[in-house]
Amino acid sequence: MNAPNSKIFFGKKLKGRGTATNPPNRFLSTITVPEELEPTPEDDNPTLKTDLLPDDTHSILSRNDSPDIPFEYSINPYRGCEHGCVYCYARPYHEYLGFSSGLDFETKIMVKHDAPQLLEKELQKKSWVPQVVAMSGVTDPYQPVERKLEVTRNCLKVLARHKNPVVFITKNHLVTRDIDILSDMAKDNLVKVNLSITSLDVHTQRVMEPRASTPEQRLNAIEKLSQAGIPVGVMTAPVIPAINDFEIPQILKEASMRGAKWAGYVLVRLAYKLKELFENWLETFFPDRKEKVIHRLQEMRGGKLYDPKFGSRMRGEGVLAQEIENLFKMGCKTAGLNREMIPLRTDLFVRDADQMSLF
């Protein structure tokens, strides 16, 4: 069915999903709502299946020109993410594909099946300058479907063969599946892995990221990667005031005890329809803290819920933003994190790598 310019909301919760809304695409006048989304009298908390759609893009390396991001190129094997994090800054990108940033983002996943082949072609080009590539700059490269499709793993094989350095960030324990490749790359200082841990409380984590690995699984991933000689860090991101900011020191401590060597953080970013999704989420799961969260974010964003300015968009501004930064820095110092940052190597790059065992 089509609903012109209106918010779609069927009940407060959908099993295994980060949001129960599908707000209109800001580029379109209507939005299509799947019939199976409507709850029946027998089931007021329905599930919604995930659709995997082919992404026929002819490019694989996305270029970044933001001064806030420490890399120029990234690889995104998937667009959309089944982890369902309601706050995900990548949700609005789904609107460029004709979808909603709500349920569509976590149920309609675009898959770049030929990403490894496209990457191979890019690295073979004489114009390619060896440099660190991020995987993934937008959505999680180890989201649930990766277990079956192995698009990320095959991209990693290409990078390893060419000895091109790569950095990862993920919320999924599945990254440990690829320890065989990652450990070999680590011997040449060609890889770094970051585990994102937003909360150590299972309930909080589950409503924030319904299909991501549990906090203990992520800590276990840090430990397994570290034991395999793979440099690993932790991202306490995003920080949401009055929801998980107070957990920063303990997250850093636990991650350090498991082998993490560095840490970072980002304040939650709520561009476009994320504001609506986020406020609905707060009303559903944290109604007692909703106003406090909103007011604190506005205080750090110049009276708004989002400020896109480079430099401040990742951390916010003002007294509260400084308090969070101080809490993070003190937590790192106590946990022994960020003491030494060794850059990845680019001088080992091999352009004409053997392709016989590619896939």
Side-chain angles (χ1 to χ4, degrees):
M1 74 181 82
N2 290 328
N5 296 318
S6 63
K7 179 178 73 173
I8 310 301
F9 185 78
F10 294 101
K12 289 189 174 182
K13 300 177 184 178
L14 276 176
K15 191 181 302 180
R17 298 300 177 185
T19 180
T21 68
N22 227 6
N25 185 311
R26 67 186 187 275
F27 302 119
L28 304 175
S29 59
T30 62
I31 184 169
T32 300
V33 182
E35 296 292 340
E36 63 265 34
L37 173 58
E38 298 185 51
T40 64
E42 294 78 23
D43 184 5
D44 61 358
N45 187 18
T47 59
L48 188 64
K49 69 183 182 70
T50 300
D51 293 322
L52 302 179
L53 307 172
D55 189 331
D56 297 324
T57 182
H58 295 298
S59 62
I60 188 58
L61 290 172
S62 300
R63 190 173 184 276
N64 159 68
D65 59 2
S66 167
D68 295 323
I69 307 297
F71 54 83
E72 184 175 0
Y73 288 97
S74 64
I75 301 169
N76 298 289
Y78 307 99
R79 290 197 276 187
C81 185
E82 202 176 6
H83 281 161
C85 310
V86 70
Y87 54 74
C88 183
Y89 70 88
R91 282 182 178 269
Y93 290 99
H94 232 45
E95 295 184 286
Y96 291 105
L97 304 176
F99 299 123
S100 168
S101 58
L103 271 171
D104 283 353
F105 176 79
E106 50 191 288
T107 61
K108 299 187 182 304
I109 311 300
M110 304 295 292
V111 182
K112 300 181 183 179
H113 293 282
D114 59 349
Q117 292 89 340
L118 292 172
L119 179 58
E120 178 69 38
K121 291 179 181 178
E122 291 292 338
L123 298 186
Q124 289 280 0
K125 291 180 179 179
K126 293 182 179 180
S127 59
W128 173 250
V129 178
Q131 60 191 283
V132 177
V133 171
M135 191 185 283
S136 161
V138 182
T139 54
D140 202 310
Y142 285 104
Q143 58 183 284
V145 68
E146 167 62 18
R147 186 177 302 277
K148 174 183 178 181
L149 299 183
E150 297 191 354
V151 180
T152 295
R153 179 174 174 82
N154 285 325
C155 284
L156 184 57
K157 289 179 180 179
V158 175
L159 292 165
R161 189 169 46 259
H162 285 275
K163 294 188 180 296
N164 194 96
V166 61
V167 294
F168 285 90
I169 182 167
T170 181
K171 291 183 170 72
N172 203 320
H173 184 271
L174 181 58
V175 66
T176 61
R177 177 201 62 186
D178 295 336
I179 280 180
D180 57 333
I181 305 174
L182 295 171
S183 59
D184 283 342
M185 295 186 76
K187 293 173 183 176
D188 290 327
N189 192 23
L190 293 171
V191 65
K192 289 182 179 179
V193 179
N194 297 276
L195 267 294
S196 173
I197 301 179
T198 48
S199 175
L200 295 176
D201 178 76
V202 175
H203 171 71
T204 301
Q205 178 270 321
R206 186 56 61 199
V207 299
M208 289 179 71
E209 310 146 344
R211 297 199 179 196
S213 297
T214 66
E216 180 55 36
Q217 287 174 324
R218 295 185 221 182
L219 289 171
N220 177 262
I222 290 176
E223 186 171 22
K224 291 183 70 173
L225 290 165
S226 178
Q227 289 176 347
I230 301 162
V232 59
V234 61
M235 291 292 293
T236 57
V239 173
I240 304 175
I243 299 293
N244 67 347
D245 54 342
F246 57 89
E247 288 195 70
I248 290 175
Q250 191 61 30
I251 292 173
L252 297 175
K253 177 182 177 181
E254 293 291 336
S256 176
M257 290 174 61
R258 300 296 184 99
K261 299 301 182 185
W262 66 83
Y265 80 96
V266 177
L267 186 67
V268 66
R269 299 158 54 193
L270 302 172
Y272 303 110
K273 295 294 182 179
L274 280 185
K275 302 179 187 69
E276 178 182 309
L277 293 170
F278 187 72
E279 290 192 60
N280 283 337
W281 178 79
L282 286 173
E283 184 64 37
T284 301
F285 296 104
F286 299 98
D288 58 324
R289 283 180 263 179
K290 178 181 177 181
E291 294 306 314
K292 179 184 289 187
V293 173
I294 296 299
H295 290 157
R296 290 187 177 182
L297 285 174
Q298 289 173 334
E299 184 174 338
M300 290 186 280
R301 302 289 194 193
K304 305 175 183 178
L305 276 180
Y306 180 62
D307 181 357
K309 292 198 306 287
F310 290 142
S312 63
R313 63 177 183 150
M314 298 292 194
R315 303 292 176 87
E317 297 176 308
V319 175
L320 287 179
Q322 188 61 55
E323 288 180 355
I324 291 175
E325 182 176 347
N326 292 342
L327 184 67
F328 173 79
K329 287 182 176 179
M330 182 58 67
C332 286
K333 183 177 181 180
T334 301
L337 297 169
N338 294 339
R339 289 180 175 176
E340 183 180 19
M341 299 295 288
I342 301 175
L344 297 179
R345 297 184 65 174
T346 59
D347 60 307
L348 300 177
F349 180 76
V350 179
R351 194 176 310 279
D352 298 316
D354 179 18
Q355 299 180 56
M356 294 301 292
S357 59
L358 182 54
F359 307 112

